[in-house]
Amino acid sequence: MKQTENHSRFIEEMKERSGQDPACCLQCAKCSAACPVSAVMDLLPHQVIRYLQLGFTDEACKSKTPWVCASCFTCAARCPRDLDLARMMEGIRLVALRRREGNRLNPGELTPEQLKQLPQQALVSGFRKYTK
Amino acid sequence: MIKSIKKEHLAHLWERLASNGPLYLPVKEGPALLFKPWREGAAVDLETVSSTVSPKEVFLPRDEVYMQFSRAGQKLELHPAVQEPAGRLIAFGLRSCDLRAVELLDMVFCRKEPVDEPYAARRENTTLVALACGEPDPFCFCTAFGVDPVNAPGADVQAWWNRDDLVLEAETARGEALFTLAGELLAERNAVDRPERPATTDFSLPLEGLPKRLKERFDDPAWGRLYRSCIGCGACTYVCPTCHCFDVQDFGHHARGQRFRCWDSCMYKEFTVMAGGHNPRLTRKERVRQRFLHKLQYFPENYGVYACVGCGRCLRSCPVNLDVVQAIRALGGETVEQR
Amino acid sequence: MPRVGVFICWCGTNIAGTVDIETVVETARNFPGVVHTADYRYLCSEIGQDLIKEAIKNEKLEQVVVGTCSPRMHESTFRKAVAEAGLNPFLLEVANLREHCSWVHQDKTEATAKAIALLRAAAAKAVLNAPLIAPRLDVEKRALVIGGGIAGIQAALDIAEAGYPVDVVEREPSIGGRMAQLEKTFPTLDCAACILTPKMVEAAQHPQINLLTYSEVEEVKGFVGQFDVKIRQKARAIDATKCTGCGVCYEKCPTKTESEFEMGLAKRKAIYVPFPQAVPNVPVIDRDNCLYFRKGRCRICEKECPPQAVYFEQQDQILERRYGAIVVATGFDQLNPVEYGEYAYGQHPDVLTSLEFERFFNAAGPTGGKVVRLSDGKPPRNVVFIQCVGSRDKARGMNYCSKICCMFTAKQAILLKEKVPEARSYVFYIDVRTAGKGYEEFQRRAAEQYGVAYLRGQVGKVFPDGDRLTVKGVDSLSGKTIEIQADMVVLAAASVARGDAAQVGRVIGINSDQYHFFNEAHPKLKPVETHTAGIFIAGACQAPKDIPDSVAQASAAAVKAVGLLAKEKLQGEACTARVDQSGCSGCLYCEAVCPYGAISAVQIEEHFRGEKLTRIVAEVNAALCQGCGSCTVACRSGSINLQGYTNAQILAEVDAICL
Amino acid sequence: MAENNVDYSAKIRGVVAQDLLSGRIDLLLGWEKGHYWWQSRPLFARDQADLERLAWDSFCAVNLSRYLVDELKENKKVGVLLKGCDARALNRLVQDNMVPRERVIAYGLPCPGMLNYAALLEAAAGRKPDGIAEENGQVTVRGGGVELTVPRDRVLLDKCRHCLYPNPVHCDQLLLTPVGERQAPERFSAVQERESLSSDARFAYWEKQLERCLRCYACRQACPYCSCRECFVEQEQPRWLSKASQPSENFMFHLIRAYHGAGRCIDCGECQRACPVGIPLQELNRKLIKDINELYGHYEAGLDPGQEPPLLTYRPDDPAAFSEK
Amino acid sequence: MSLAQNRPKTEAATAGMEAAAQDRAWEPLIVAFCCNWCSYAGGDLAGTSRMQYPSNIKVIRVPCSSRMNPLFILRAFQRGADGVLVAGCHPGDCHYSTGNYLVRRRLSAFKRLIEFAGLEPERFEVRWISSSEGDKFSEVMREMTAAIKALGPNGKLRDGRWRKIT
C-alpha cells in the first residue's frame, strides 16, 4: 500500500465537496459500530477515513464501502467529533467518479425487468449517486 | 462718483472684486446669514437687513495667533507668529448700524494708544461698502441710537438699491480704487437721490441721561429680576457688532505651541475667574449687569457714545428673549420698573 | 518644568541591536525638562540602578524616565531604585523599548524612530507625574473554604494547622463530598472511607475549623484581605446543640424518598443523615418530603427524639462574616448520559453510570456490597464498560478529556473480578490514558491479571435482548464489528462542572471557562490563584481531577491563603481615583460604574451669596478603589481623575506620540 | 393659546395663584410675552401682580426646568410649568441629582407643539404677519389685511415636529386636558438620510454645518442634560480644547457634547432651537439615541427616573459595533 | 493616495494630503490604547515571541479599556493620527471584572457617532486581546496598518494648526 502522488489533491477536493476533514477523526470507530450496513462493507467506515488520513486514497476508492453507504446518517449522528461521514462518503464518490472516466452505472445496464421493478426514486438517486 | 450695476450682473462683480484679496459679504449658510469671503457659488444675500452675526469678524477674527514658543530641556524660546500678510480686503454690504459699530471698534483698537496692530492692519487694508436699508427688520431700532439706515458715515462706498439697480457712490479714495478694480462692470450714472429713510421700530427708549441713571442704579434690585432668565450663553455677545472682548490662550503641547487670541464673552462664568478660583462676577446677575452697563454706561463714559447701535441682533438671537431693550426699559426710565 | 532624567537600557543587544541608542539619547536630551541623560548595557543590574540613584542625587532629578523592557517586567525594580534615592517611587515612567519595539521591528531606522516616540511620550507623561502613596490595608485573619469535599477539607486543615481560623461552607448536610461516595481509590485500592473519614473527623474537631454544613454562600463583597461574605445556614429543623446523633428519628420516620448519596439507587427517610459516617452526625429534615411540612401532621420524630432536638420552627440563618482569603473547592458532577440514547441509559435498569456502579461495591450501599443486576438481582457475567461518554465529544461541545475515567474503570473492573470471580469485563475505549504514579501499572494489571478485555473502539448501540443487553461495538484494531451479550453496561460519563458553577462563580466574583470550570489566573504559573486577588481554587471545580491532584492543589491553595493571611498589612493600589469636589455636580454616575463600590456620596457645605448651601458630591474610598478608571469616563466634567493616569497625562502622551 | 376662544392663561393663573399666594410655593416659573406677539420669555412670578403677566400660548418654547437648579438655591419650594419635553427635562435633572424633586411642584401642560416665527413668515408669503388665530389644528396668519390659513404642523418649531410625548409625565398636577397622542413621527428620518451618504459626503456635510459654530454654547446652556457645574470645554487642566474657532475644535465640542448625552438626551431639541446659527444639533443626539436603542434595547431618557441610563449598565451578551472576533 | 484625492478639499483634509504629497513614502500613524492586564501584556507576549508587526503603531498603556475617554480618541485624530485602536481584555475576563462590558457600550456608541460625522469605520477600531494572544496582537496591528494604508492619510477631524507648530 502506498500513497498515490496526487493523494493530497484528492483529499483536498473531497474536503471541499463534503466540508468534512478526515484529520478530525479520533478513530474511535463509533461510526462503524453504529453502521447498519457495515456487514456488507469490505472496509469499515472508520477504516476508510483512516486510509484517507494516511493518504491511501486508492484503497479508499477501490473499497466498496463508499458505494454501499446508504447515507442513513447514523454515523453522523453518533460521531463524537461532529464529522458527517455520509457526506464524506459522498465526497469520495464524487471525486472518484470525476477521476476515472465512465460512470459506475449506466441506463443500458439495466434490464427492462429491473426498470419495471425499481421505484422511480431509487433510479433517480441511483443515477445521482453513481454517475457524473 | 456714482456708478451702478444691474442685479443680475452682480455675480461678475463679486468675481472681479474677489480677484485681488478676500471679498467679505453676507452669505446664506443654512438658516444663518454670515459675512464670509466670497467663493464660487456662495449664496450672497443683499436683501435681508441684518446678518445673523455682525461683520466684526472681518477685522476681529474669531482667533488669531500672537506668537509661537518652543521648549528644549529647561529653556523656553519665543518666536514671532508667522503672520500671513494682511492683503487688501473688501467688506461689502455692511449696514449703517454695522458701520457705526466699526467706528466704535476703531475707538477701542486703533484710535488711541496702544494700537492693536493686527486689528489696525486689517482695518487699514479694508474697503468698506455700506448698503442702505430698505424695509427694516422688526428687530431693528438703530434710529433710536441716531443711526441713519440709508446713510453710513465712514464707508468708502455707499450703496443703495434703485429698483433692480445697485447704485454705488464712492466716498473715499479707497472707494474709487474699488471702482477702478470693478472697471467696466460698473456703469456710469448721474446722481440718483438716496432712498427714503425708513422708519425702524421705535421702542421709545429713554436714552437721554441714561448712563447717569444707570450709574445710580448699580445696586438696584431690578437687576436681580432682570438677569434671571439669562441662561449664560454667549450668543448675544458673539452676534453683537460692538462686543469685542477676547481671551488669550495657548495651543500645542509642552514642547511646542502657539499663543493666540480668540473671541470671549463676559456672559461666561469663566470670563472673570482668577487664578486661585475667585470669581468677582459670581453669578449671571453680575455678568448680565456688566454687559448692559458696558454698552450703556461705561462705554459712553469712556468714549462719549453708546456701545449699542440698535441692530437688533441680540433681540433675534437670544434663546430666552432677554435683550438690551428690555434692560433699558427695566432700569433706564425715569423710574425703575418694579417688575 | 521639573528636572527630568532619561535613562536608556541596551538590554545587551536586545534593544541596542535594533535601536540606535546614540540617536535616541541625543534626541531625548532636548525633551522638555530633561537635564540628564544616560545609557547602560543592563539598566536593571546593580550598577545600572546605581547609575540612576547617583544621577537623582547629583543632578537633583525630580522625575525619572527609563527606556527599558516592559513596565510589566521591571517597573517595580526601578520604582524601588528611585525610592532608595529618596524620590517618590511614582515619579518614574517606563518606555517599553523592548517588547513593544526592538523585539517586534527589524528595520533599525523604524525601530529607532518608534523608540524615540515612545520615550517622548513617557517623558511627556513623567513631567506631570505626582508623588503617590499606596494605602496600607488591614487583613482579616480568617479564611473561608467553599466546599467540604476532600479538597475543601484538605485546604481547611492546612490553613488551620498554620494557625488561622477557617470556616468551611458545605451545601450538603455532611462534609465528605464525592470521595465519600467512593468504595476504593486507585491505584492503591485502599478504601476511600478509611482515608477520608479520619480527615472529616479531624476537620470537625479542629479548634480552628468551623464547619457550616447545609449552608450556601449568598454574597461576596469587598476585596483581598477584607471579603465580606453572606452565608445562608439552611434550617435543618434540628437543634444541633441537643442532637446526640442517636438516629432514632430516622428509624421512626414514616416517609421514604430517594437517597441523593446513593445516586437514587436506594431510599432514605424524610429526616436523614446522608450516610452513616456523616460529619456532623446531625440529621436534616427534608421539607419537600416531610409529612409535617407538607401536610401539617406527623411530628413522629419530634415525639421520638430522646433529647428533644427536633425543632420544626427553625429558620434559615444569615451569617455575615469578613474573611481575608477564600478557597473555592466546589467540586464536580458526573454527566447524566440520558441524552445518549444509543446507550439505553435510563431505558434499562442494568445500564449505569460509573458513580452509580461504584455504590454497588459499598457494604452500606444499595445492594449491601453485592454486585447484582438491578433487573433480576442476579450477579452479572458480562459487564461492558464504555469510555468517553460525553468526554472528547466535540459534537456536544465537550472537547476535553475527563482524565479520571480510564483509571476508575480499571479499578471497577478489578473490583468486579474480586466480587464476582466468574464475571468478564469488556472496556470499549478510544485511548487509554494513565499518566500518574503507578497508574499505568494498575491499568495493565487489570488487563493482564484480571483478564479485562480492552477493545479499541466505540459502542454504536446498546439494546435490550431478552433479559440481557446486546452491545454492538467495534474493535478498530482488528477492524471487526463486535457484539457482546452483556448483563450490565457501565458508562464512564464525563466529569462536568457543577450545574450552577457559572452562577456561583458570579456570586464569588471569579470567571470560568467555556465548560464552566473556574479559571486559574495563569495555566502554568498561577494554577490555584484566580484573577481576583485573595480568591484561590482547588480540586475538580477547576478541571477534572483525581484525589491526589485535588489534595495537592488544595494544599497549594492553602499555602497561598496562609501567605496572604500572614501579612501584617496589604499594599493597596496607589493609582486610585480622586474627586475634585469643586467641579463635581454630584450626578454620581461614577458610583454607578464603579465595580468596587469605592465611590459614595457625601454632603458638603459651601457659601453662596453669604448663605450656607449644602450639596452632594462624590467621594472615593482609596482603600476600595482598584484604579480601573471607569469612573473618569462616566464623569462628563472630568471632575474625577485617576492618579498615575490622569487625563492630562494621557493627553500629553497622545500629543507626544503624534509629534 | 387662545384656541376656541378659551383663555387658558387665565385658567392656569387661577390654579397656580392659590399655591403661590398660600405660600405652598415661593416662586412660580412660567412664561410672559416678549416685545412681540411671537416672543415669550420666562416669567419668575412671586405675587399676584407678576401672575397677571403669565401667558400660555403657542410660543412658550423656552424650557423652564433648567432654571430650577439656580432658583432652588434661593427658594425653598418652586412651582414650574412644564410642557411634555420640559417634564422629561425635569426628570433628567432629578436623575442627575441637580434638582431635589421634593422641592418642586410640577404643573403639567399638555403641549400641541410650539410655533416657529420663521415658518409663519413664510406662510405669510412676504407680508409681515401681525398676529395669528388657531382653531382645530389650523393656524390663520393675519398680515397686511390678508388672512392665510395653514395646517399647524407646517409652522411648528423643528424641535416639536417629532415630539413623542406631548403630555407631561410625572407631574404633581396636570393643568388642561391631555392632547391626543400624535401618530408616531419618523424622528430618525434625517439621521437615516445622513447615514445613507458616503463617509466623505457626511464629513463634508458636518464640516459645513459646524464651520459656522460660534462656540457661544447656547446649545449647552439651554440643554437639560448639560448640567455639569464645570464643562470640559472650559477646563484648564487639562485643556481638552480651546475657544479657537477651528473646524476640528468645533467637531470635538459637538461630538463630545452629543456623546455626553448618549443615553441621557431627552430629545427636547432646545439645543437646536437655541443655536443662533441654526446647526442641526438634534441630528447628532438622535444618531446616538437611535444606535443605543438598536444595540442595547429601547430607552427613552427622562421618562422614568428609576430606569438606569444605558451607558451606566451592561449585559454580558451585549452586541458591539466593532468586531469581537 | 487615490482615496485621499477623492476626499472633499477641506482645509483639514488637504492638510493630510499635502503631508502625504510632501513625503512620497507616507507611513500612517496609529495610536493604540491597550489595557495593562490583557492587551498590553499580549503586546509583551508578541514581543517575547518576536512576532513582527509594522512600527506604525505606538502603544499607550491604560489600566483598563474602561479608562478610555472618547476625548483621547478625538485628540489623537486632531493631532494627526491616521487610526486609533483601543484594545482590552475579552468580555468576562476584565481584570476589574466589568470594565470592558461598559466599554463595549460606550465605544460602540462612540464609534458609530464618529462614523456618522464622516470618519471611515476602519480608522477607529476596538479589539479584545488577551494576555495570551500575542499572535492576535501582532495580527491586529498588521491588519489595522494595512487597512489604514489602503485608506491613505486622514485629514478629517484634524487640527490644521498642529502641523504648523510641529
Side-chain angles (χ1 to χ4, degrees), chain B residues 29-32 34 39 52-53 62-63 135-136 138-139 201 203 227-229 231-235 238 247 249 260 262-264 268-270 284 315 317 319-321 323 325-326 329 339, chain D residues 35-36 38-42 44 46-47 49-50 53 62 67 70-71 74 117 128 208 211-218 221-222 229-230 234 239 242-246 273-274 276-278:
Chain B
E29 298 248 331
L34 307 168
R39 271 201 241 97
T52 315
V53 181
R62 294 186 198 176
D63 60 335
E135 174 71 0
F139 297 110
T201 318
F203 287 100
Y227 89 91
R228 292 190 178 276
S229 60
I231 59 174
C233 74
Y238 283 176
D247 187 13
Q249 293 187 341
F260 64 95
C262 58
W263 286 7
D264 200 357
Y268 299 153
K269 73 170 187 293
E270 293 73 16
R284 299 197 309 281
L315 279 71
S317 292
V320 294
N321 300 322
D323 53 65
V325 171
Q326 196 183 344
R329 283 174 163 181
R339 322 230 149 258
Chain D
H35 299 303
Y36 299 101
W38 70 82
Q39 283 188 322
S40 289
R41 64 168 70 121
F44 301 75
R46 300 187 171 281
D47 55 32
D50 290 341
R53 307 210 305 279
V62 179
Y67 291 107
D70 280 347
E71 291 306 331
E74 297 168 50
Y117 179 60
K128 264 222 181 66
K208 185 128 187 55
E211 189 183 21
R212 58 178 187 272
C213 172
L214 298 169
R215 302 285 282 284
C216 70
Y217 305 133
Q221 297 306 103
R229 287 167 63 84
E230 184 186 337
E234 276 102 8
R239 255 240 168 269
S242 64
K243 287 200 200 87
S245 150
Q246 292 283 329
R273 185 190 67 84
V277 291

Side-chain angles (χ1 to χ4, degrees), chain C residues 128 580-589 592-593 606 608-609 611 613 615-616 633-634 636-639 647-648 651, chain D residues 72-74 92 95-98 225 227-232 235 237-240 259-261 264 308-309 311-313:
Chain C
L128 297 168
D580 162 15
Q581 297 188 330
S582 70
C584 175
S585 59
C587 71
L588 298 180
Y589 282 24
V593 299
E606 54 183 20
F608 175 79
R609 295 233 177 101
E611 279 183 52
L613 291 178
R615 63 182 183 96
I616 298 287
V633 182
R636 306 177 298 283
S637 68
S639 301
N647 293 329
L651 286 183
Chain D
L72 280 167
K73 289 180 182 166
E74 297 168 50
R92 162 89 281 129
Q95 205 170 1
D96 296 352
N97 298 330
M98 299 306 295
Y225 76 62
S227 49
C228 293
R229 287 167 63 84
E230 184 186 337
C231 181
F232 76 98
Q235 250 167 53
Q237 193 48 259
R239 255 240 168 269
W240 297 106
Y259 180 75
H260 281 172
R264 304 175 59 242
E308 186 119 54
L311 288 201
L312 296 189
T313 176

Side-chain angles (χ1 to χ4, degrees), chain E residues 60-73:
Chain E
I60 292 177
R61 182 167 67 137
V62 288
C64 175
S65 47
S66 68
R67 176 67 182 91
M68 271 319 292
N69 191 324
L71 281 153
F72 301 151
I73 297 157

Side-chain angles (χ1 to χ4, degrees), chain C residues 328-330 497 500-502 504-506 508 510-513 516-520 530 537 541-543:
Chain C
V328 183
T330 49
D500 58 355
V504 168
R506 232 170 280 121
I508 303 173
I510 56 178
N511 52 35
S512 37
D513 62 24
H516 305 307
F517 288 113
F518 296 136
N519 274 340
E520 61 277 20
T530 64
I537 47 177
C541 64
Q542 178 256 355

Side-chain angles (χ1 to χ4, degrees), chain D residues 83-94:
Chain D
K83 308 186 294 292
C85 48
D86 307 349
R88 280 177 298 119
L90 174 58
N91 285 343
R92 162 89 281 129
L93 292 164
V94 170

